[in-house]
Amino acid sequence: MEKSGLFISKELFFQSLIGSFTKLSPGKAFSNPVMASVWVGTVLLLLQIIYHSFLGRYIQFDVTILLWLILTLVFANFAEALAEGRGKARADSLKKTRSSGSAKKVKSENDKEFTIVSSSELKIGDLVYVEAGEMIPGDGDVIVGIASVDESAITGESAPVIRESGGDRSAVTGGTKVLSDFLYIKITASAGESFLDKMISLIEGASRNKTPNEIALGILLASLTFLFGLAVLSLVPIADFVSKETGYHWNLSFSIWLSLFVCLIPTTIAALLSAIGISGMERLIRYNVVAKSGKAVEAAGDINVLLLDKTGTITLGNREARAFYAAPGVREEELADASQLSSLSDETPEGRSIVILAKQKFAIRERNLQDLDVRWIPFSATTRMSGVEIYNDGKLTKNIRKGSIDSIRKFVESKDGTIPKEVTAKSEEVARKGSTPILVADGKTILGLVELKDIVKGGLKERFTYMRRMGIRTVMITGDNPLTAAAIAAEAGVDDFIAEATPERKLERIREEQSKGYLVAMIGDGTNDAPALAQSDVGVAMNTGTQTAREAGNMIDLDSNPSKLIEIVEIGKQLLMTRGALTTFSIANDVAKYFAILPALFSPLSPLNVMRLSSPESAVLSAVIFNALIIPALIPLALRGVKYEPKSADSALARNVFLYGGGGILLPFLGIKLIDFILTGVF
């Protein structure tokens, strides 16, 4: 996938060119107050030319000015159309994957009998069965099965991903393809409201809402246009006064007056403002991040604190059982047997890994539990335990629980049991090396613990170091105990962590940071992350996460890569810097043009005519041509964005003022003089 550059296909170029002319309609033109004033002036000049042509007056100069004013409008429209077209090209590729195929609808999970229906008929809550080689008919959550899925149509990445029931990698997207095994999926979005449909509507920049900063800048530009309009109007009585007092006739025809007005008002930034905003969202798309609003992109540029959920974000998400540590007087095989029993109904990756480890170490296979009275104890966020109770002739023979240290301690203490010191010491040792100790008990007897190893994603430590240089403080959020959390935080390289976190604690931390004036970003993938994602200023949901998380976030990372926030922040900063830099350039540019051409028009100011322009008419026409040509010249910068480098705000501001402010003053003098040479035949 193209991450940088400004490659524009021939098809996109001509589509944008056509769009540039369609946007000349009044309805489109008046959405931008600055360019609307140019549009009105151009129409009035056209009417004057038609009128003068009937009177037989000289109109060649006016016609030339008219053509360049039309080109000014076309170039401004082209910038916006090109930015929109780049986003729509991505949307069109997604539309090709959206088709109304068939679906195997079932009545219950594991049901082998199915009914063929159209995918457009599926409703929320329907169950479907998808086999290898088939397209997933709609957005949903996997409730049974594990399979590799090709999501290249959505993410652009060729490597398949694993989708499975349980955990935070259960969400699937309609239009993707199952490559192996099978899945039973519960539909979570009806036709026309799928994630793919929402992505397409978000990517199409034409429906983009303006951000608050963009609206504020638009008001400022409209105000400057009004003030500069008054300044140009004041030249009319000045010209009359000069004519009466000195006898010098200053030609201030409507075409010349209009040219001065267009050259003075901030046409450059007004022409590029919309393109800057649209291209910011489009750059995110090239990094496989979909922003639901431009406001979120802007906020990303000012992020101070980043909160990351550990499981699935910092770690790979699937903790694996690595070892059994039996309590004193308990055989390791006995611990493994109890651990496997308590995990047989556990559909999470962790539960499955415990079953597999027991099989690998002690060849403990599936057992016949049909003759026994078995009662499964599902995991509860309140008790933080799961397990199994086995009865024989109505008598409780096994009362197995597995869970966190604190939860099992409370369980055994309620039955007058205790945790052996050796087990406590071993759990602390396991936690210190970054693994998660899971205690296993049978009634009041502690059998031992299972070590679950979290695997930190590669390259995160370096990325977090870079974030620190950007002024972003990283905070890991986890439900693990403090010892485990501290070890993983050190391995990942985050600045701080919150251990034993609950959804309420996540919200509390975000609000604490926001109350201090910080902007907070949150990255998460689970349903329990949804409140925090919604509360944060920038909520980035992993595409591998649950549907609830994706709905709560205002950005979705299709690659599910937490370090992607670096690109998100850089693009946000680029957006703000580009808008500021081109605003500085535009204002300096327009003022410089004004002082460059006035001396050529007004004889008493001729000593200030440092460019020695050949004639008043050439000066005006050169300025109008330069004013039009500078817009397409700056389109690549508006689409690509000003390059961001981690440095202090004062240093970045000084650089931009020097480069774009100084360049905005010097460039018109050079450009107008060069055009004057060309017009007068020097070249």
Side-chain angles (χ1 to χ4, degrees):
M1 176 170 292
E2 183 70 20
K3 302 290 187 188
S4 60
L6 289 171
F7 174 76
I8 299 173
S9 65
K10 185 183 297 185
E11 181 183 2
L12 176 58
F13 176 84
F14 284 110
Q15 286 179 349
S16 301
L17 190 60
I18 294 171
S20 304
F21 286 95
T22 60
K23 287 177 179 288
L24 290 174
S25 63
K28 297 285 187 180
F30 279 80
S31 62
N32 186 328
V34 179
M35 301 312 297
S37 64
V38 179
W39 187 91
V40 171
T42 303
V43 171
L44 292 176
L45 181 59
L46 174 61
L47 295 176
Q48 177 183 279
I49 290 173
I50 294 173
Y51 175 71
H52 284 176
S53 66
F54 281 113
L55 298 179
R57 295 180 181 176
Y58 175 77
I59 60 172
Q60 183 177 350
F61 179 77
D62 290 352
V63 169
T64 306
I65 295 292
L66 175 69
L67 292 176
W68 281 102
L69 291 181
I70 293 174
L71 285 176
T72 301
L73 293 170
V74 170
F75 290 153
N77 292 339
F78 182 76
E80 183 178 51
L82 188 59
E84 290 176 356
R86 285 160 64 90
K88 287 180 178 179
R90 171 68 167 154
D92 289 340
S93 67
L94 291 175
K95 287 178 181 178
K96 295 176 182 178
T97 69
R98 183 180 60 182
S99 59
S100 180
S102 60
K104 296 177 179 177
K105 185 177 177 181
V106 296
K107 294 181 179 180
S108 63
E109 57 187 72
N110 293 315
D111 190 356
K112 298 299 182 181
E113 300 292 331
F114 55 81
T115 304
I116 302 294
V117 299
S118 171
S119 59
S120 61
E121 298 175 7
L122 294 175
K123 299 177 181 178
I124 297 175
D126 286 347
L127 300 180
V128 296
Y129 172 67
V130 186
E131 294 181 284
E134 296 178 345
M135 301 294 290
I136 294 174
D139 291 2
D141 287 320
V142 178
I143 57 173
V144 174
I146 178 171
S148 59
V149 178
D150 178 9
E151 294 188 344
S152 58
I154 306 296
T155 65
E157 302 295 336
S158 57
V161 296
I162 300 298
R163 292 290 176 263
E164 57 189 331
S165 60
D168 292 330
R169 295 202 293 181
S170 60
V172 291
T173 304
T176 57
K177 186 177 182 179
V178 174
L179 298 180
S180 68
D181 304 288
F182 67 90
L183 297 173
Y184 282 88
I185 300 168
K186 184 176 182 179
I187 298 298
T188 57
S190 56
E193 298 180 356
S194 67
F195 175 64
L196 190 59
D197 292 310
K198 292 176 181 177
M199 271 187 63
I200 292 171
S201 64
L202 289 169
I203 290 172
E204 292 179 327
S207 59
R208 180 185 69 97
N209 293 324
K210 292 183 178 180
T211 66
N213 286 343
E214 191 174 346
I215 293 172
L217 182 56
I219 294 173
L220 173 63
L221 297 180
S223 302
L224 289 176
T225 300
F226 177 75
L227 293 175
F228 290 154
L230 292 179
V232 177
L233 281 174
S234 68
L235 294 177
V236 176
I238 292 175
D240 290 339
F241 176 79
V242 169
S243 298
K244 292 177 181 178
E245 294 295 324
T246 65
Y248 172 77
H249 177 65
W250 188 9
N251 178 22
L252 196 63
S253 65
F254 178 71
S255 59
I256 291 179
W257 178 90
L258 180 60
S259 299
L260 288 172
F261 171 72
V262 171
C263 288
L264 181 58
I265 63 175
T267 51
T268 306
I269 182 60
L272 299 172
L273 185 59
S274 180
I276 293 171
I278 295 172
S279 63
M281 298 183 73
E282 190 271 335
R283 283 198 299 276
L284 274 179
I285 294 166
R286 281 186 277 128
Y287 282 98
N288 275 348
V289 178
V290 178
K292 296 183 180 180
S293 70
K295 183 179 179 180
V297 183
E298 282 187 352
D302 290 324
I303 285 300
N304 309 108
V305 181
L306 168 62
L307 274 65
L308 306 96
D309 185 54
K310 185 206 73 174
T311 305
T313 305
I314 289 179
T315 63
L316 292 177
N318 289 352
R319 293 184 299 181
E320 295 181 351
R322 291 295 181 89
F324 297 111
Y325 298 101
V330 178
R331 292 182 298 109
E332 185 180 346
E333 185 174 356
E334 183 182 352
L335 168 63
D337 182 73
S339 301
Q340 189 191 68
L341 264 175
S342 63
S343 302
L344 288 176
S345 66
D346 188 350
E347 286 295 321
T348 65
E350 291 86 351
R352 291 171 183 156
S353 71
I354 292 175
V355 174
I356 292 172
L357 182 62
K359 287 181 179 180
Q360 291 175 342
K361 294 198 69 173
F362 301 103
I364 302 175
R365 301 291 174 179
E366 294 181 6
R367 64 205 74 196
N368 185 9
L369 300 177
Q370 295 179 355
D371 298 333
L372 301 176
D373 184 1
V374 177
R375 301 177 187 177
W376 302 107
I377 310 298
F379 177 81
S380 168
T382 303
T383 64
R384 300 180 70 185
M385 294 188 302
S386 62
V388 60
E389 295 176 353
I390 300 178
Y391 295 83
N392 192 357
D393 295 330
K395 183 180 179 181
L396 180 63
T397 58
K398 288 184 180 293
N399 188 14
I400 301 173
R401 295 290 189 279
K402 69 174 172 46
S404 66
I405 304 291
D406 291 338
S407 60
I408 296 298
R409 177 183 287 112
K410 292 177 183 178
F411 174 74
V412 297
E413 287 178 352
S414 69
K415 300 181 180 301
D416 299 325
T418 59
I419 299 179
K421 293 180 180 179
E422 294 85 351
V423 174
T424 301
K426 192 64 180 180
S427 67
E428 292 175 354
E429 178 187 334
V430 169
R432 276 194 295 270
K433 64 181 183 179
S435 296
T436 302
I438 299 295
L439 280 186
V440 182
D442 186 355
K444 66 178 183 179
T445 304
I446 294 293
L447 300 178
L449 61 87
V450 183
E451 177 187 357
L452 297 180
K453 174 63 177 175
D454 281 295
I455 303 174
V456 175
K457 294 180 178 179
L460 282 186
K461 195 164 189 175
E462 294 76 12
R463 302 285 275 180
F464 289 152
T465 300
Y466 186 77
M467 287 184 191
R468 203 170 293 116
R469 291 173 54 202
M470 298 170 74
I472 299 173
R473 183 160 38 92
T474 52
V475 181
M476 182 186 76
I477 302 174
T478 177
D480 292 332
N481 63 72
L483 285 174
T484 301
I488 296 175
E491 183 180 354
V494 296
D495 298 309
D496 195 5
F497 65 88
I498 305 173
E500 298 178 342
T502 62
E504 292 78 16
R505 181 67 186 99
K506 296 177 188 179
L507 276 177
E508 181 183 342
R509 180 59 180 263
I510 291 174
R511 288 168 179 162
E512 283 178 7
E513 300 287 357
Q514 290 173 333
S515 67
K516 298 175 184 177
Y518 296 134
L519 289 184
V520 180
M522 168 73 186
I523 296 180
D525 59 358
T527 300
N528 63 343
D529 295 324
L533 287 169
Q535 175 67 35
S536 57
D537 300 285
V538 178
V540 184
M542 301 290 100
N543 188 44
T544 56
T546 63
Q547 186 70 19
T548 305
R550 294 195 297 187
E551 292 289 342
N554 50 26
M555 289 188 185
I556 299 173
D557 177 14
L558 302 180
D559 294 333
S560 300
N561 179 1
S563 65
K564 187 75 67 66
L565 190 83
I566 290 179
E567 282 76 20
I568 294 174
V569 171
E570 285 184 340
I571 290 171
K573 289 184 181 295
Q574 276 189 325
L575 177 64
L576 297 173
M577 290 172 60
T578 304
R579 190 181 292 153
L582 290 184
T583 299
T584 302
F585 179 88
S586 178
I587 294 175
N589 194 347
D590 295 333
V591 173
K593 285 182 289 185
Y594 196 64
F595 285 99
I597 60 178
L598 268 182
L601 283 174
F602 191 29
S603 179
L605 296 178
S606 57
L608 299 177
N609 185 12
V610 294
M611 290 189 293
R612 295 293 184 263
L613 300 176
S614 57
S615 68
E617 290 78 11
S618 176
V620 171
L621 186 56
S622 298
V624 171
I625 294 174
F626 176 84
N627 188 70
L629 293 179
I630 197 65
I631 295 173
L634 291 175
I635 287 178
L637 180 61
L639 297 182
R640 184 180 63 248
V642 174
K643 184 179 179 181
Y644 167 75
E645 297 177 357
K647 59 176 62 177
S648 68
D650 292 340
S651 175
L653 179 62
R655 176 182 179 275
N656 284 347
V657 169
F658 174 78
L659 183 61
Y660 296 101
I665 292 175
L666 294 177
L667 193 59
F669 287 92
L670 298 175
I672 291 173
K673 182 60 180 178
L674 177 62
I675 295 171
D676 179 67
F677 272 139
I678 296 173
L679 292 178
T680 54
V682 173
F683 282 0

